[in-house]
Amino acid sequence: MSRTQPARRPRAEDASPETTAPLAGAPADLVIGPLGGFLGYALRRAQLAVFEDFRRSVGRLGLRPAQFSVLVVIDASPGLKQSEVAAALGIQRTNFVAMVNELERLGLIERRPLDRRSVALHLTPAGAAKLKAALQAQYAVEERYARLLGPGGRERLLDLLGAVQTAPREG
Amino acid sequence: MSRTQPARRPRAEDASPETTAPLAGAPADLVIGPLGGFLGYALRRAQLAVFEDFRRSVGRLGLRPAQFSVLVVIDASPGLKQSEVAAALGIQRTNFVAMVNELERLGLIERRPLDRRSVALHLTPAGAAKLKAALQAQYAVEERYARLLGPGGRERLLDLLGAVQTAPREG
DNA sequence: CGGCATTGTTATGCTGCATAACAAGCAGGG
DNA sequence: CCCTGCTTGTTATGCAGCATAACAATGCCG
């Protein structure tokens, strides 16, 4: 479970002391240097791996990650305006239009006019059904990770990720 | 530091029991339902946040994340073939060509022919210097995260991410 | 009523990532 | 030696994600 600390490999004049601890990445065991000790790289790799899992489980239902997230939000907060759903997910209003079009075309969601300008988003029965199936599949994946990460591991990971995400950006 | 467990919000017939625990995401405090409890979503959000940090620190040197990772690998293992560096980073051989072209054009790396077909990649002095500066900036960011995540937090996070990444994919 | 912010929308471009196809070269078996 | 097959670098192409600019219609508020 715990990564071992190999003899360090200086090079490039060494810019700092401690830190680092390789990832033993999926790409063979080729030397990637201190890269595995950087959060950005480790996060990117882990994210790709988990999205790959998603593709193989929930993806079978014909849902992509972003689509899934939209359904979840609409289900959790029915009646939100299109722009609100987009904002909640950090999606640009402008890029969200095509997504809503697609989900509506698939008969999974519905646009209900609030006034002559804004629309409220709701799941259709088909959308609710598909989401239910998707959630079941996803919960199964999560439980697999919970097992893999040991007691409290998954929760700790979510906690750490939350802290990273909400950390104040320098600037 | 620790996320609170709010009253659950069933909906969509509920596909599973426990799991979940919201992220209190950056996008306002809008309701995203169980989304914050899914690893894929939490990972994606955290990754975007960290890449944003990268952009603001190392990015000032004119390096994008992928370029930075290439320099790190070449520095750690000088003389690897172009295809080997690509493989080590999980980059398609085909997409790697343009990246190498660019880094060579910037005078940061060098292609040295091994035979009439394959080339070995090396840092130029300018590349080594730029990488040194980039590593310093990056180590500073890492230390900021180390402080933010509390004692052992960053290391634990890297450990958990490594476990996720190397987990056996179902299929 | 009139200016202003909101909302949905289109157009456009860049980046990341995947696949197909190819030419040239190396390497190993017959 | 020569031919077959794998390797290597490369180009072309397409799709998805994400960003920005520009707009028209509309609601809102002083």
Side-chain angles (χ1 to χ4, degrees):
Chain A
M1 205 93 214
S2 203
R3 238 135 299 281
T4 40
Q5 180 87 17
R8 266 178 86 266
R9 185 76 128 60
R11 307 235 103 252
E13 322 282 312
D14 249 344
S16 161
E18 3 83 85
T19 330
T20 73
L23 257 189
D29 284 350
L30 288 174
V31 188
I32 59 173
L35 213 50
F38 293 140
L39 281 182
Y41 187 77
L43 280 167
R44 172 174 163 269
R45 282 322 199 81
Q47 193 237 311
L48 290 178
V50 172
F51 269 43
E52 176 64 20
D53 275 353
F54 184 94
R55 213 176 50 90
R56 297 191 195 179
S57 61
V58 184
R60 293 195 180 284
L61 301 171
L63 287 182
R64 279 168 301 175
Q67 292 177 322
F68 173 73
S69 70
V70 170
L71 294 187
V72 169
V73 168
I74 295 179
D75 178 61
S77 317
L80 284 186
K81 284 185 292 187
Q82 187 170 313
S83 55
E84 290 173 332
V85 175
L89 289 169
I91 300 174
Q92 299 293 121
R93 203 162 92 259
T94 152
N95 296 320
F96 195 52
V97 176
M99 295 187 55
V100 172
N101 287 343
E102 171 91 358
L103 289 172
E104 201 176 32
R105 191 181 59 79
L106 293 172
L108 302 179
I109 70 176
E110 194 187 2
R111 277 192 248 234
R112 294 187 197 161
L114 284 175
D115 48 40
R116 251 177 296 185
R117 166 174 72 156
S118 54
V119 299
L121 299 183
H122 293 267
L123 293 187
T124 63
K130 174 141 300 200
L131 175 58
K132 183 183 173 185
L135 283 173
Q136 279 172 342
Q138 184 56 25
Y139 279 124
V141 173
E142 296 290 329
E143 276 168 29
R144 203 160 53 80
Y145 276 113
R147 246 175 286 124
L148 172 80
L149 298 176
R154 180 177 157 283
E155 290 70 22
R156 185 80 210 285
L157 178 52
L158 285 172
D159 220 54
L160 289 165
L161 292 174
V164 165
Q165 191 215 331
T166 60
R169 309 277 143 244
E170 65 181 326
Chain B
M1 204 94 209
S2 203
R3 240 134 298 282
T4 39
Q5 181 87 19
R8 269 181 78 269
R9 186 77 129 58
R11 306 234 104 251
E13 321 282 317
D14 250 344
S16 161
E18 6 83 83
T19 329
T20 75
L23 257 190
D29 286 349
L30 288 174
V31 188
I32 58 173
L35 212 49
F38 293 140
L39 281 182
Y41 186 77
L43 279 168
R44 173 175 163 269
R45 282 324 199 79
Q47 194 237 309
L48 288 178
V50 172
F51 269 43
E52 176 65 19
D53 274 353
F54 183 94
R55 213 177 49 89
R56 296 191 197 180
S57 60
V58 185
R60 293 194 179 284
L61 301 172
L63 287 182
R64 281 169 299 178
Q67 293 177 321
F68 173 72
S69 70
V70 170
L71 294 187
V72 169
V73 168
I74 295 179
D75 178 62
S77 317
L80 284 186
K81 283 186 293 186
Q82 187 169 312
S83 55
E84 291 173 332
V85 175
L89 290 169
I91 302 175
Q92 298 295 120
R93 206 163 84 262
T94 154
N95 294 323
F96 194 54
V97 176
M99 296 187 54
V100 172
N101 287 344
E102 172 91 356
L103 289 173
E104 201 176 33
R105 190 182 61 78
L106 293 172
L108 301 179
I109 70 175
E110 193 187 2
R111 277 192 249 234
R112 296 188 196 160
L114 285 175
D115 48 40
R116 251 177 295 187
R117 163 174 73 156
S118 53
V119 301
L121 299 183
H122 293 267
L123 292 188
T124 64
K130 176 143 295 198
L131 175 58
K132 183 182 173 186
L135 283 173
Q136 279 172 342
Q138 185 56 27
Y139 279 124
V141 173
E142 296 291 329
E143 275 168 29
R144 204 160 52 81
Y145 276 114
R147 247 174 286 125
L148 173 79
L149 297 177
R154 180 178 157 280
E155 290 70 24
R156 185 80 211 284
L157 179 52
L158 285 173
D159 220 54
L160 289 165
L161 292 175
V164 165
Q165 191 216 330
T166 60
R169 310 275 143 245
E170 65 182 325

